[in-house]
Amino acid sequence: MVTGYDHLLFLFGVIFFLTNFRDIVRFITAFTLGHCVTLLGATLAGITANAYLIDAVIALSVIYKGFENLDGFKKVFKFEAPNLLSMVFIFGLIHGFGLSTRLQELPLGDDGLISRILAFNVGVELGQIAALTVMLVFFKAWRSTKTFARFGAAANTGLIVAGLGLLVLQIDGYLHEDEHHDHHAEEDARGQDADDHHAPHSLSP
């Protein structure tokens, strides 16, 4: 959870204008349900995709949330933003698929896989609710001040910029993926040569 900075940036955008604990639980639960559906389903079915492209879509979700928080749909497109709870669920599906893609690159094993994934999701949800509740208390105390509006505009503009930066990084990673694989293959080959060089040679009788 802590290392998933794109995940945390999106959730920060989601709770930015929430004012009570009940709303936090609703939105985090919707996100976690979507997250669980694709994480569990894609992992068990062996469905995967290019990790860079999935992470690029996740970066777009960060941009989307910052844009929505700045009332961009009304200001730019002249219509209301889509239902937030539905969008949080949809983005939860995407984030879960991204994690599943990364997870399937690791040796998982079959014993207790379902229970481990479900326990992971419950742990993530509880951690999110705890962390975001602290943020809510902080925001609630600050919301009545004049500086909050300026902070809100700056923070959500920052979300868009951060999302754009993540998007560029993921697209660059996708375009240069073959070079990364070749580089890792060369390092593995050099490591194997070094091991062979230092290994004891068998003596002929």
Side-chain angles (χ1 to χ4, degrees):
M1 175 181 165
V2 174
T3 58
Y5 43 83
D6 48 0
H7 181 99
L8 290 174
L9 284 171
F10 176 75
L11 290 176
F12 171 77
V14 169
I15 66 100
F16 198 85
F17 290 117
L18 299 184
T19 57
N20 60 69
F21 179 75
R22 179 181 296 179
D23 282 340
I24 281 185
V25 173
R26 285 174 60 232
F27 282 98
I28 296 303
T29 299
F31 183 84
T32 304
L33 284 175
H35 190 271
C36 186
V37 167
T38 45
L39 175 60
L40 189 61
T43 302
L44 293 178
I47 301 171
T48 188
N50 184 281
Y52 286 110
L53 293 182
I54 295 297
D55 286 346
V57 177
I58 292 174
L60 287 174
S61 75
V62 176
I63 297 170
Y64 173 92
K65 199 66 201 75
F67 181 76
E68 184 197 30
N69 285 351
L70 292 171
D71 210 15
F73 283 93
K74 277 186 178 179
K75 293 177 180 176
V76 178
F77 301 117
K78 311 303 180 186
F79 60 77
E80 295 287 340
N83 179 269
L84 181 56
L85 196 62
S86 299
M87 294 305 298
V88 168
F89 177 76
I90 290 170
F91 284 129
L93 294 173
I94 297 169
H95 282 242
F97 187 45
L99 182 56
S100 174
T101 297
R102 294 294 187 185
L103 199 61
Q104 291 181 66
E105 296 175 352
L106 305 174
L108 297 176
D110 296 325
D111 295 338
L113 181 60
I114 295 178
S115 61
R116 280 184 286 151
I117 292 176
L118 290 175
F120 169 80
N121 271 274
V122 171
V124 166
E125 177 165 16
L126 293 176
Q128 289 169 353
I129 289 173
L132 297 179
T133 298
V134 172
M135 292 176 63
L136 178 65
V137 172
F138 175 69
F139 281 163
K140 193 168 185 178
W142 193 6
R143 200 180 301 276
S144 58
T145 67
K146 294 180 180 179
T147 58
F148 185 80
R150 292 197 296 272
F151 168 75
N156 285 289
T157 300
L159 272 185
I160 295 174
V161 173
L164 286 170
L166 291 172
L167 179 63
V168 170
L169 284 176
Q170 298 304 332
I171 295 299
D172 180 72
Y174 174 72
L175 294 175
H176 298 91
E177 188 173 15
D178 291 340
E179 295 176 15
H180 295 159
H181 286 164
D182 291 342
H183 177 68
H184 290 312
E186 289 175 4
E187 288 184 342
D188 291 342
R190 285 197 295 268
Q192 185 62 47
D193 288 342
D195 290 341
D196 292 342
H197 177 73
H198 292 295
H201 296 286
S202 59
L203 297 176
S204 301

